[in-house]
Amino acid sequence: QKEVEQDPGPLSVPEGAIVSLNCTYSNSAFQYFMWYRQYSRKGPELLMYTYSSGNKEDGRFTAQVDKSSKYISLFIRDSQPSDSATYLCAMSANAGKSTFGDGTTLTVKP
Amino acid sequence: NAGVMQNPRHLVRRRGQEARLRCSPMKGHSHVYWYRQLPEEGLKFMVYLQKENIIDESGMPKERFSAEFPKEGPSILRIQQVVRGDSAAYFCASSHTRTATDTQYFGPGTRLTVL
């Protein structure tokens, strides 16, 4: 069983929709939770970073972490065609390596 | 302020040859991480290095793979006697410090194709 499971998608939504992306994990030691965006044939770009449980908002993006359920989410409001990409969740117990989900490919249609 | 640089961007090797992938971290960063991404999969951690030291190599295959980060110059990921299963995108990331709160910045990746 993988340490991090990510909703596989793909996901296709109309422009302006609210998008919900989700990951579950099994390792209780994870304390740091990240969401990366990866455009085709590019390197991942950090979108959101959260420590422990709680919510964090940045513009149209909101990250939620529920450590009791071992569940994290990324919400995108007012989605735009430029948001079309693969979204990767990642987690870390301490400094060093991050463990990634397999990614969810999102397409936002104009 | 240049970001993380990787070269080559694309590398084609025949089975049995050696592949050398280079990563120059962001200016001022002394921590480098290598990840491998197979098609339709997420990134899998391989190795974490600091200048002249391997900190964590728990994700490195036991044979044929090695990594270094010398005092001067880029970090090198070396794959000896490549096989078709080594075909993947290899990404490196760098950070300024070792703390978990320090952001890892990723390079554009090297796409290795083994014929």
Side-chain angles (χ1 to χ4, degrees):
Chain A
Q1 184 183 2
K2 294 180 180 179
E3 277 191 295
V4 178
E5 297 277 1
Q6 184 167 358
D7 288 353
L11 205 55
S12 181
V13 301
E15 184 175 354
I18 296 175
V19 176
S20 172
L21 303 164
N22 309 292
C23 289
T24 58
Y25 63 95
S26 57
N27 188 346
S28 300
F30 288 146
Q31 299 185 73
Y32 304 92
F33 304 92
M34 289 75 70
W35 285 96
Y36 288 84
R37 178 174 60 196
Q38 186 177 24
Y39 292 113
S40 181
R41 307 190 76 76
K42 302 286 187 185
E45 169 196 10
L46 182 66
L47 274 179
M48 300 285 286
Y49 165 84
T50 310
Y51 170 68
S52 196
S53 285
N55 294 357
K56 186 173 184 177
E57 188 173 322
D58 184 2
R60 296 184 296 110
F61 298 88
T62 300
Q64 287 186 351
V65 175
D66 182 350
K67 289 191 72 178
S68 62
S69 302
K70 297 190 177 66
Y71 188 87
I72 72 169
S73 299
L74 177 70
F75 297 96
I76 307 175
R77 290 185 300 280
D78 188 25
S79 55
Q80 303 294 310
S82 58
D83 294 330
S84 298
T86 296
Y87 290 80
L88 300 161
C89 64
M91 308 175 190
S92 175
N94 48 36
K97 70 177 183 181
S98 293
T99 302
F100 283 78
D102 286 347
T104 302
T105 299
L106 170 67
T107 302
V108 181
K109 297 184 176 180
Chain B
N1 185 14
V4 178
M5 299 177 69
Q6 290 187 250
N7 67 79
R9 294 292 306 277
H10 300 274
L11 183 61
V12 179
R13 286 288 178 265
R14 296 190 181 280
R15 281 179 296 171
Q17 292 184 319
E18 179 179 286
R20 283 190 179 227
L21 289 62
R22 295 175 187 77
C23 170
S24 296
M26 285 183 70
K27 187 176 180 180
H29 287 190
S30 59
H31 299 259
V32 165
Y33 314 80
W34 284 93
Y35 294 84
R36 177 166 61 179
Q37 187 174 35
L38 295 170
E40 308 301 323
E41 292 189 13
L43 282 75
K44 298 294 190 287
F45 170 80
M46 298 182 76
V47 63
Y48 165 32
L49 309 104
Q50 196 179 357
K51 286 282 188 180
E52 300 184 277
N53 287 306
I54 296 175
I55 308 299
D56 181 353
E57 56 181 346
S58 58
M60 286 282 268
K62 292 290 185 279
E63 297 177 349
R64 303 188 297 109
F65 285 73
S66 62
E68 62 176 8
F69 189 17
K71 187 176 180 181
E72 301 291 337
S75 175
I76 307 284
L77 179 68
R78 182 183 178 204
I79 311 172
Q80 295 177 290
Q81 299 174 348
V82 295
V83 300
R84 288 214 174 110
D86 296 334
S87 295
Y90 292 82
F91 291 95
C92 85
S94 73
S95 66
H96 178 59
T97 66
R98 189 179 175 172
T99 61
T101 54
D102 195 11
T103 301
Q104 292 183 19
Y105 294 88
F106 280 82
T110 293
R111 279 160 182 80
L112 172 65
T113 301
V114 179
L115 302 177

